[in-house]
Amino acid sequence: MREATITRKTAETQIEVTLNLDGTGTYDNQTGVGFFDHMLDQLSRHSLIDLTIRATGDLHVDDHHTVEDTGIAIGQALVAALGDKKGIRRYGSFHLAMDDAQIRAALDLSARPYLVWNVDFPTAKIGTFDTELVREFFQALSTHGGITLHVDRLHGINSHHIAEAAFKAVARALREAVEPDPRMSGVLPSTKGAL
């Protein structure tokens, strides 16, 4: 079973993430940050990774620590659930259109974290949510999930659409990358012998 539960406790946040890579996109995410929960729901639904998150954080300060630490915990849970990575596709990419927004995402589950982020937002906020936190989430996910991740905004004029398209595009790329490859069953997708 490719499942994992990660609990992360700091002076700023307490987070528990449970995920199942072979799920159906079932989600139950409660972080106390409404827009972020909506994005996490999209990540789960479109990756087909079942995701349950319970997070409490210092939201009286701002949303930053909760969003970043959730990204860290999801990344750690991905690593645990993937195990030795034998038999997975490893790579994934997707172009996603959502109304005015088009986002391209490409990733490699390489254990070499690197984020290329070419996504600008026309506004500083989506409701009360700071748009700069979208990048912070993906930076934390990339770093702690060992993911080389490239995300590019090709089009977009509405900040909500841009953010949602980014989460959905990464989700679809992740779905492809974690899938078992029937032609590589039990084989590590690397010539190095390790990922």
Side-chain angles (χ1 to χ4, degrees), residues 37-190:
D37 288 348
H38 179 46
M39 294 300 99
L40 293 170
D41 295 350
Q42 302 304 321
L43 184 68
S44 174
R45 173 65 72 212
H46 295 283
S47 67
L48 298 183
I49 295 172
D50 293 346
L51 191 59
T52 300
I53 299 172
R54 293 293 181 269
T56 55
D58 55 357
L59 299 181
H60 63 285
V61 176
D62 67 7
D63 299 340
H64 187 111
H65 298 138
T66 299
V67 171
E68 182 178 30
D69 288 6
T70 300
I72 290 170
I74 294 172
Q76 291 171 340
L78 275 171
V79 169
L82 282 166
D84 63 12
K85 300 182 185 173
K86 287 182 179 176
I88 65 167
R89 294 188 187 276
R90 177 180 167 180
Y91 301 99
S93 65
F94 205 80
H95 280 222
L96 190 130
M98 181 177 172
D99 301 329
D100 54 283
Q102 184 181 166
I103 300 287
R104 178 179 59 214
L107 58 84
D108 176 9
L109 300 177
S110 61
R112 296 188 306 276
Y114 196 91
L115 178 66
V116 175
W117 183 258
N118 293 310
V119 181
D120 294 321
F121 291 94
T123 62
K125 298 256 188 195
I126 300 169
T128 60
F129 185 82
D130 295 325
T131 53
E132 69 181 7
L133 295 182
V134 177
R135 184 190 186 285
E136 291 300 318
F137 171 78
F138 285 114
Q139 180 68 71
L141 178 69
S142 169
T143 300
H144 293 270
I147 304 168
T148 297
L149 175 61
H150 293 235
V151 186
D152 298 286
R153 178 180 68 101
L154 305 180
H155 304 287
I157 57 174
N158 179 285
S159 292
H160 187 131
H161 294 163
I162 293 165
E164 189 164 339
F167 273 84
K168 288 177 174 177
V170 171
R172 287 301 300 262
L174 194 58
R175 173 181 169 179
E176 182 179 349
V178 303
E179 279 182 346
D181 185 340
R183 296 177 63 195
M184 294 283 287
S185 180
V187 178
L188 191 70
S190 172

